[in-house]
Amino acid sequence: MRVVMFGYQTWGHRTLQALLDSGHEVVLAVTHPKSDHAYEKIWSDSVADLAQQHGVPVLLRNRPGDEELLSRLKEADPDLIVSNNWRTWLPPEIFDLPTHGTLNVHDSLLPSYAGFSPLIWALINGEREVGVTAHRMDAELDMGDVLLQRAVPVGPRDTATDLFHRTVDLIGPIVTDSLDLIASGKAVWTPQDRSRSSFFHKRSLEDSRIDWTWTAEELERFVRAQSDPYPNAFTHHRGERLRIVSAAVSEGRYGGTPGRIFIREGDGVVIVAGAGARSGRLPGLVVERVRTEDGSEYAATEYFRRMGGYLTGHP
């Protein structure tokens, strides 16, 4: 088949590599220009560089739909478009152009976690597995019929970084298997169950702000979901932003006001957590390592020399 690829960052790079290895003809690659957005500067393997290394023509676009792009797509005459991590909506005149339409690869188990940053949101929400879905693109973002899915379990101490590496390794096989099914005429497309669908927005700084009324279990996942190189979960101490690099749920139960810097436990410092903490029946969050705004990292027991005071959402 003649294939056009739309994609960006490492997800798009892995997809293009799978297409190049597949034996099908990659006739055009469309990708975004480099961005200064915090979540787009990481996992930033270049689709454009890979395409150029293999003699594949490249177009850079923030958004699709201009006459030059449409003309180049028609000239390329693709049998299939394959998309992964394309950051804006593709119009019908693009996704319906090829004979076999457009196959989108999304890093969640659709219909759950459509949209942006699905691994982070899934870890925050305590999902037991994550994965990758190959589905047909239609007018609704990430809502088209499913062709294939692959899943991996979420371990009790997994970070978003761990889950990224595990799921990105699924991209090559799912792209290869999907193309084989489409080319052979054996593809079976399954409509998504809309009653189970969920859609998540692009993350920003506000989404990393710690709310100490969350339970310790929720906050521990919140910290793991924003592991390096992602922007870390943060709070404020004495008016300065403080990033929480690693944390655990306390063994003891602690009462008081959420955000109180309370007591040492093991290798960390317990912060009172949970809206019901006044009951004294809830565990706290054991902060293990922190990072200050100048990039210095400390063990919590070194940073919090004295107990007392509060961590707050705002200065």
Side-chain angles (χ1 to χ4, degrees):
M1 294 186 294
R2 293 173 59 84
V3 182
V4 168
M5 187 268 176
F6 278 74
Y8 187 47
Q9 292 177 279
T10 300
W11 295 271
H13 187 279
R14 289 291 187 98
T15 300
L16 178 56
Q17 187 63 64
L19 294 173
L20 293 167
D21 293 340
S22 70
H24 297 281
E25 184 182 3
V26 184
V27 293
L28 180 66
V30 186
T31 188
H32 298 301
K34 291 182 179 179
S35 169
D36 288 330
H37 188 284
Y39 284 89
E40 295 182 13
K41 290 167 68 176
I42 57 177
W43 315 132
S44 57
D45 294 305
S46 173
V47 169
D49 289 351
L50 180 62
Q52 291 167 352
Q53 289 166 13
H54 290 267
V56 176
V58 178
L59 291 177
L60 297 179
R61 291 293 187 278
N62 283 313
R63 294 182 178 276
D66 60 273
E67 289 303 317
E68 181 193 3
L69 174 58
L70 291 173
S71 176
R72 291 286 297 275
L73 286 171
K74 290 175 182 177
E75 290 174 5
D77 190 26
D79 298 299
L80 179 71
I81 292 174
V82 178
S83 171
N84 193 348
N85 199 40
W86 180 259
R87 309 296 281 180
T88 63
W89 182 68
L90 291 179
E93 56 264 32
I94 291 179
F95 67 70
D96 278 341
L97 177 66
T99 304
H100 296 292
T102 295
L103 180 79
N104 187 54
V105 181
H106 180 71
D107 54 336
S108 84
L109 297 174
L110 294 174
S112 298
Y113 298 95
F116 297 90
S117 302
L119 293 178
I120 294 175
W121 291 114
L123 185 49
I124 289 172
N125 289 331
E127 301 293 349
R128 295 184 178 181
E129 62 178 9
V130 294
V132 173
T133 300
H135 69 101
R136 189 194 303 275
M137 184 177 288
D138 63 16
E140 296 183 80
L141 189 61
D142 297 332
M143 293 294 175
D145 295 351
V146 171
L147 178 58
L148 290 176
Q149 287 189 325
R150 299 286 187 271
V152 293
V154 178
R157 293 292 286 175
D158 279 341
T159 66
T161 308
D162 297 326
L163 299 181
F164 163 80
H165 288 296
R166 242 175 267 154
T167 55
V168 80
D169 285 344
L170 300 175
I171 291 173
I174 205 170
V175 168
T176 300
D177 292 347
S178 295
L179 264 63
D180 287 347
L181 289 170
I182 293 169
S184 67
K186 297 178 181 178
V188 176
W189 303 90
T190 303
Q192 295 188 42
D193 181 354
R194 298 303 181 89
S195 69
R196 294 176 47 239
S197 66
S198 57
F199 188 90
F200 287 80
H201 61 75
K202 184 182 292 188
R203 292 184 64 81
S204 66
L205 178 66
E206 184 62 28
D207 300 303
S208 297
R209 189 186 306 275
I210 291 174
D211 181 347
W212 292 104
T213 65
W214 286 20
T215 66
E217 291 86 356
E218 291 170 329
L219 290 174
E220 188 269 343
R221 293 198 305 268
F222 192 70
V223 171
R224 283 192 284 123
Q226 295 171 101
S227 53
D228 292 339
Y230 293 104
N232 303 123
F234 71 90
T235 187
H236 286 84
H237 182 235
R238 296 177 178 172
E240 300 294 329
R241 187 182 301 172
L242 183 68
R243 303 175 191 277
I244 308 300
V245 177
S246 64
V249 177
S250 70
E251 295 181 2
R253 297 179 182 272
Y254 301 94
T257 301
R260 177 74 173 188
I261 305 164
F262 191 11
I263 194 171
R264 292 190 179 190
E265 182 182 287
D267 294 327
V269 173
V270 175
I271 312 299
V272 177
R278 288 173 178 83
S279 69
R281 298 189 181 96
L282 298 180
L285 185 73
V286 180
V287 174
E288 298 167 334
R289 298 196 67 80
V290 300
R291 186 177 294 138
T292 56
E293 277 294 86
D294 65 3
S296 299
E297 188 171 317
Y298 302 90
T301 52
E302 178 185 358
Y303 180 83
F304 297 109
R305 299 281 183 162
R306 293 182 177 180
M307 300 300 100
Y310 293 86
L311 298 180
T312 59
H314 297 270

